[in-house]
Amino acid sequence: MDAGITYTGTVRYFNPSVVVYGKTSAGVTFCTDETKAFNKNRKTKKVDRTPADDDSYVYYNTHLKKNKDGVWQTTELASERGSKKCAR
């Protein structure tokens, strides 16, 4: 479903960590700072400048597998808004 919303602004990525479980499996975690990123309505071009709060910081936990062509692909992704792991 297309909600007609896009993203504008700047997202900062920090605290990356990679754990390799074997030749074809790995985990990647990282934080994002979305305090300078906002939703934008594609039709009206209106930007929703909601003030930053703890939910502007998001922790991501991903699992990757290497496919038969040797390309790493994300197979699972979980995110946690307002995570203490990404606190300011």
Side-chain angles (χ1 to χ4, degrees):
M1 180 174 160
D2 184 358
I5 301 294
T6 189
Y7 219 35
T8 187
T10 303
V11 176
R12 181 175 68 94
Y13 296 83
F14 62 102
N15 291 349
S17 176
V18 177
V19 176
V20 177
Y21 301 114
K23 292 183 178 184
T24 61
S25 180
V28 176
T29 61
F30 59 93
C31 293
T32 62
D33 170 354
E34 299 178 357
T35 58
K36 296 180 181 174
F38 308 97
N39 288 334
K40 179 179 177 180
N41 184 298
R42 287 196 308 248
K43 185 176 180 180
T44 66
K45 309 294 186 213
K46 183 177 178 184
V47 176
D48 178 7
R49 295 195 181 273
T50 303
D53 61 13
D54 288 345
D55 279 353
S56 299
Y57 296 86
V58 186
Y59 177 73
Y60 288 90
N61 187 347
T62 68
H63 186 258
L64 296 91
K65 290 201 174 203
K66 190 185 284 189
N67 71 16
K68 63 181 173 66
D69 297 321
V71 177
W72 288 94
Q73 296 180 317
T74 301
T75 57
E76 295 178 45
L77 175 112
S79 64
E80 180 184 349
R81 280 204 174 273
S83 173
K84 300 297 182 212
K85 294 175 185 175
C86 302
R88 310 178 227 190

